[in-house]
Amino acid sequence: MTAATHSTLFPRVPDSADAVLDGLDPEQREVATALHGPVCVLAGAGTGKTRAITHRIAYGVRAGILQPASVLAVTFTNRAAGEMRGRLRQLGAHGVQARTFHSAALRQLQYFWPKAVGGPLPRLVERKIQLVADAAAACRIRLDRNELRDATGEIEWSKVTQTVPADYAAAAAKAGRETPRDPAELAQLYAAYEDLKRDRSVIDFEDVLLLAVGILQDRHDIAEQVRSQYQHFVVDEYQDVSPLQQRLLELWLGERDSLCVVGDASQTIYSFTGATPDHLLDFRTRHPGATVVKLVRDYRSTPQVVRLANGLLAQAHGRAADHRLELVSQREPLAEPVYTEYTDEPAEAEGAARRIRALMADGVPASEIAVLFRTNSQSEIYEQALADAGIPYQLRGAERFFERTEVREAGAALRGAARFGGNDALLDDVVDLPSQVRAVLSTKGWTTEPPAGSGAVRDRWESLAALVRLAEDFARANASATLADLVAELDERAAAQHAPTVEGVTLASLHAAKGLEWDAVFLVGLAEGMMPITYAKTDEQVEEERRLLYVGVTRARAHLSLSWAVSRSPGGRPNRRATRFLDGLRPGSGATAGARAAGGTGGIERGTGGATEPGGPTTRRRTNRTPARCRVCGRTLTDAGEMKLMRCEDCPSDMDEGLYERLCEWRAGRARRIGQPAFCVFTDKTLIAIAESVPEEEGELARIPGVGQRKLRTYGADVLAICAGQEVLDGDEGK
């Protein structure tokens, strides 16, 4: 158990400043008590950095050294800022501002804009891609969907590095960027985009920082007003600051040095957005008298996980690698990481689902399990595999918990019950707080047992169940708590975006997993070409991919599984191998690229014969196969959705529309019958593939990706009958 994350959900507020320091290790205590002058905290993964800096702020406030309103703590995500506010509240440090860079800058802009510029602040557009598309049309530049996304990324990079359109081409060349279009063309597009924003009186996300910097640079009176408000600064994840964010921080500080920064150069994974660890690594140069504290005691991961993490960094190169931290696990030894090679990606997804079911059977909650992949496009196949196995899951980056419809409705119901509960017959026979909450939420769809399957109904139940569990924990921590107290707690959590735990396996990209942790982590798709990603060409880009894998490894507390597939799809050529980053680290691998050895059990790679998993079947022997190709133009297919259709997304479809509609009607009936969402029967892409190929016998149907042997047995007869033009009951028969 990590002291940083496994404390009780509602800990007792420390009764004194000295009590705030209880439980900190010597290095964390050094951070907490270093309240004067510049401080640099080099904190490895799992070493309790958030614990250290929140206790630092709380100790300063509780000891009367820091005034709460004068402290500004900044980080990079709303989730991280919300977590920081929640921890400060639990430590009795009320009134401290904990925000993202953008949130803090926007708040200042809204306040000072009328004085500095006049009139209301222009409207903020949260998604700029439509504006970029309009700018491209104005320039008569044709961009497909991927080019549009890439061009938008180039504009964002330009703005956070403070590069104007006229300088874009030279700046991109100097930075070694691989531009998606001709740099001169992108510069023209960038300029048109800026003109369009001015014409429409809107600003984008990056403008918030740029305008804040501009006002603070030009208006010394406003800068002094901000500096009189905020006198002490804490910056989390300092390795991720961009030049623009660094400039804003310098303007906030002025000539003062009351600054504490926290970071780890080995977790720099956002350089494509303009982030650079140079500000962290050069901190002592800019502040020669700074206090530097290194946190290396890893409270999160077992020695086996830490050994792999250290091994990854030991092979790294570059400036960040020169400053790597050697982690020391503080936990008892447990299982070694499991390495598994699969024949293809569907087999890999099914294998992960089997192991997840085994972990859950052994008592690991679904919410403590994560499947992490390199790109979001890999998610679909794992969603399908988990749904097929009846395992609930949640997508990282999906709708915020407190913004879900069912959570808002539940909050309103609880608020009404707290206000008028004395006249509510529903609460007549219940006394304790958890029972009251269960009674109220039962009117919104909560039941003692979860609904079958997954999908929207299960998601709604999971949200309500999370509120029930929160009420139970709240009552245990506060024996005299009332329904009104719980409603107040929920309001504070909503304001801090401090969501309760939802039971479900997390599916997330490695980038989205930064800052999170689970008991069990599955790192999937670890094949050359995906890790490192194909477009990582330079040494610096490859090293960032290594750091990304390091971040993934260090998300695991106890169970870590690493896997890869030798071909993308069933029938594909088995020409892929495990990522070079694991050479010399996984059992049976040599230190040189391409080395592959046989031997080992327990999920260890078995040469060309496949691999076994604990309690799972041996993967069948691979044979030489041809890659999947588009049946229209012949291009090699790599996208999972295209491989399911066996054609490029843009190639013409010969789908039988009537057959597709009949298949959809049949699927809807079967889904209703089994109480699961329609995609658990077949996804839309699989139905399209069936309607395009119109299989006549089982062998043809089985070759369609997304069917598989289980679904062939369950649904094959119906599908073939529908394809043959026969009438099939819609699945609601017998009701």
Side-chain angles (χ1 to χ4, degrees):
M1 295 290 183
T2 142
T5 59
H6 277 230
S7 56
T8 57
L9 190 58
F10 296 96
R12 186 182 302 277
V13 175
D15 57 12
S16 67
D18 287 341
V20 171
L21 303 178
D22 290 347
L24 299 182
D25 68 31
E27 293 79 22
Q28 292 171 343
R29 181 180 285 258
E30 183 67 30
V31 173
T33 55
L35 296 173
H36 301 286
V39 177
C40 178
V41 184
L42 302 176
T47 57
K49 68 178 180 63
T50 305
R51 177 180 173 82
I53 59 175
T54 52
H55 281 68
R56 178 184 189 271
I57 295 170
Y59 177 70
V61 169
R62 299 290 299 275
I65 300 171
L66 303 178
Q67 295 302 311
S70 72
V71 180
L72 177 59
V74 288
T75 187
F76 285 82
T77 66
N78 288 320
R79 183 201 61 79
E83 179 186 0
M84 194 177 292
R85 287 194 293 270
R87 292 201 190 193
L88 290 170
R89 181 164 60 93
Q90 291 169 353
L91 292 169
H94 300 276
V96 174
Q97 292 292 315
R99 298 181 173 274
T100 64
F101 271 101
H102 285 86
S103 172
L106 180 60
R107 194 162 181 252
Q108 292 172 16
L109 268 186
Q110 291 168 333
Y111 184 80
F112 290 113
W113 187 268
K115 177 180 179 180
V117 181
L121 181 69
R123 180 174 62 87
L124 175 65
V125 290
E126 295 189 1
R127 298 189 71 237
K128 61 174 68 65
I129 200 160
Q130 185 56 55
L131 273 173
V132 176
D134 293 346
C139 297
R140 299 188 176 181
I141 298 173
R142 296 188 62 181
L143 300 174
D144 63 27
R145 184 174 54 191
N146 291 332
E147 289 175 321
L148 186 60
R149 185 187 63 240
D150 292 342
T152 301
E154 288 303 294
I155 290 174
E156 291 173 349
W157 173 82
S158 300
K159 299 185 78 164
V160 300
T161 56
Q162 303 177 80
T163 301
V164 297
D167 297 336
Y168 167 75
K174 183 178 180 181
R177 291 184 75 81
E178 207 168 287
T179 59
R181 303 277 293 220
D182 178 72
E185 197 173 46
L186 286 171
Q188 179 191 7
L189 174 61
Y190 180 14
Y193 168 78
E194 292 297 309
D195 290 340
L196 198 59
K197 283 199 292 97
R198 280 191 290 272
D199 292 343
R200 297 182 182 180
S201 297
V202 297
I203 59 175
D204 63 24
F205 206 50
E206 290 72 36
D207 288 331
V208 171
L209 300 185
L210 284 164
L211 292 170
V213 165
I215 288 176
L216 294 176
Q217 284 182 159
D218 295 342
R219 292 291 299 267
H220 297 292
D221 57 329
I222 292 177
E224 286 307 314
Q225 193 172 341
V226 171
R227 291 167 192 159
S228 66
Q229 165 76 52
Y230 297 117
Q231 298 167 19
H232 307 279
F233 296 85
V234 176
V235 184
D236 194 12
E237 305 288 4
Y238 193 55
Q239 77 279 351
D240 289 331
V241 296
S242 68
L244 180 56
Q245 289 164 331
Q246 176 63 23
R247 180 60 186 141
L248 179 60
L249 178 61
E250 291 167 353
L251 288 165
W252 282 339
L253 271 168
E255 299 300 317
R256 298 165 301 173
D257 64 359
S258 185
L259 170 66
C260 175
V261 300
V262 189
D264 179 8
S266 296
Q267 296 188 67
T268 306
I269 58 173
Y270 297 108
S271 67
F272 59 90
T273 67
T276 170
D278 289 345
H279 304 300
L280 175 67
L281 299 178
D282 293 337
F283 192 83
R284 281 292 291 269
T285 303
R286 296 195 313 277
H287 303 280
T291 299
V292 177
V293 183
K294 295 182 180 180
L295 303 182
V296 296
R297 301 175 197 247
D298 188 330
Y299 296 96
R300 175 189 300 159
S301 304
T302 63
Q304 290 85 350
V305 173
V306 167
R307 187 181 306 119
L308 175 57
N310 287 336
L312 282 171
L313 292 188
Q315 299 179 359
H317 305 282
R319 192 175 182 216
D322 292 340
H323 293 80
R324 63 180 175 267
L325 298 167
E326 186 84 8
L327 299 177
V328 181
S329 176
Q330 305 298 297
R331 298 193 55 173
E332 292 296 318
L334 286 173
E336 292 287 342
V338 175
Y339 301 83
T340 312
E341 180 178 279
Y342 292 92
T343 55
D344 50 59
E345 290 181 355
E348 185 178 9
E350 291 166 7
R354 284 196 304 272
R355 286 186 52 77
I356 288 170
R357 287 190 67 177
L359 284 170
M360 293 173 63
D362 287 341
V364 180
S367 59
E368 286 294 352
I369 303 173
V371 178
L372 307 181
F373 30 75
R374 176 61 180 83
T375 66
N376 287 319
S377 63
Q378 295 168 273
S379 174
E380 182 183 2
I381 195 169
Y382 289 92
E383 293 176 52
Q384 185 70 65
L386 293 178
D388 287 349
I391 298 171
Y393 64 85
Q394 56 179 332
L395 296 175
R396 176 71 190 154
E399 183 185 27
R400 292 180 183 175
F401 180 84
F402 289 104
E403 293 175 6
R404 297 176 186 176
T405 301
E406 64 269 21
V407 174
R408 291 200 303 268
E409 292 174 352
L414 290 170
R415 189 170 287 105
R419 187 176 301 172
F420 305 112
N423 300 317
D424 192 339
L426 188 69
L427 303 179
D428 284 349
D429 298 326
V430 294
V431 178
D432 62 286
L433 177 60
S435 297
Q436 291 175 332
V437 172
R438 294 188 201 103
V440 173
L441 296 189
S442 66
T443 67
K444 298 299 176 182
W446 180 82
T447 56
T448 55
E449 294 296 326
S454 57
V457 174
R458 179 64 182 249
D459 289 345
R460 180 181 179 88
W461 185 89
E462 292 288 1
S463 297
L464 299 177
L467 293 175
V468 171
R469 287 192 297 273
L470 182 70
E472 292 168 348
D473 290 329
F474 189 67
R476 277 194 293 269
N478 306 273
S480 60
T482 65
L483 202 53
D485 294 330
L486 177 65
V487 168
E489 172 69 21
L490 288 174
D491 288 342
E492 289 197 29
R493 282 174 166 263
Q497 285 301 317
H498 185 195
T501 300
V502 175
E503 277 303 319
V505 173
T506 299
L507 297 177
S509 70
L510 286 164
H511 283 100
K514 178 75 168 61
L516 303 174
E517 60 184 84
W518 297 269
D519 280 346
V521 169
F522 289 76
L523 299 178
V524 299
L526 301 183
E528 282 288 317
M530 191 59 75
M531 175 59 65
I533 199 78
T534 306
Y535 53 74
K537 304 292 187 185
T538 66
D539 290 344
E540 291 82 0
Q541 291 168 338
V542 170
E543 286 305 313
E544 181 150 335
E545 293 288 299
R546 187 195 307 276
R547 294 195 295 270
L548 190 57
L549 180 56
Y550 171 80
V551 166
V553 167
T554 54
R555 299 310 94 194
R557 297 192 193 108
H559 307 281
L560 178 62
S561 294
L562 305 95
S563 63
W564 58 95
V566 295
S567 65
R568 287 189 182 276
S569 59
R573 179 177 298 172
N575 58 358
R576 301 194 302 180
R577 72 174 200 88
T579 172
R580 72 191 75 166
F581 299 145
L582 296 179
D583 287 344
L585 298 175
R586 60 187 173 91
S589 70
T592 57
R596 312 181 75 157
T601 56
I604 305 304
E605 174 189 346
R606 284 181 171 276
T608 58
T612 59
E613 298 177 278
T618 301
T619 308
R620 65 185 181 275
R621 185 173 298 276
R622 303 190 307 273
T623 57
N624 291 329
R625 295 165 178 158
T626 57
R629 295 188 183 279
C630 174
R631 54 190 168 80
V632 180
C633 69
R635 181 177 70 84
T636 299
L637 301 177
T638 57
D639 178 77
E642 291 181 341
M643 287 191 289
K644 186 169 285 190
L645 296 175
M646 290 307 292
R647 64 172 173 81
C648 303
E649 194 79 49
D650 299 329
C651 281
S653 168
D654 54 359
M655 181 177 73
D656 183 330
E657 296 284 352
L659 174 57
Y660 178 68
E661 289 180 7
R662 292 195 299 275
L663 287 168
C664 287
E665 290 175 4
W666 165 83
R667 178 182 65 171
R670 291 306 296 259
R672 284 193 299 270
R673 186 180 180 191
I674 63 177
Q676 291 190 346
F679 70 80
C680 289
V681 179
F682 285 119
T683 64
D684 289 345
K685 285 279 176 65
T686 299
L687 290 191
I688 292 172
I690 293 171
E692 288 183 345
S693 60
V694 195
E696 296 180 354
E697 48 90 19
E698 281 194 354
E700 294 177 4
L701 180 58
R703 283 194 288 273
I704 296 175
V707 176
Q709 290 301 313
R710 186 183 67 81
K711 293 192 176 184
L712 186 67
R713 290 193 302 271
T714 307
Y715 307 124
D718 280 6
V719 171
L720 289 173
I722 294 170
C723 289
Q726 300 171 14
E727 286 294 325
V728 174
L729 293 175
D730 68 358
D732 287 327
E733 68 275 13
K735 289 193 139 185

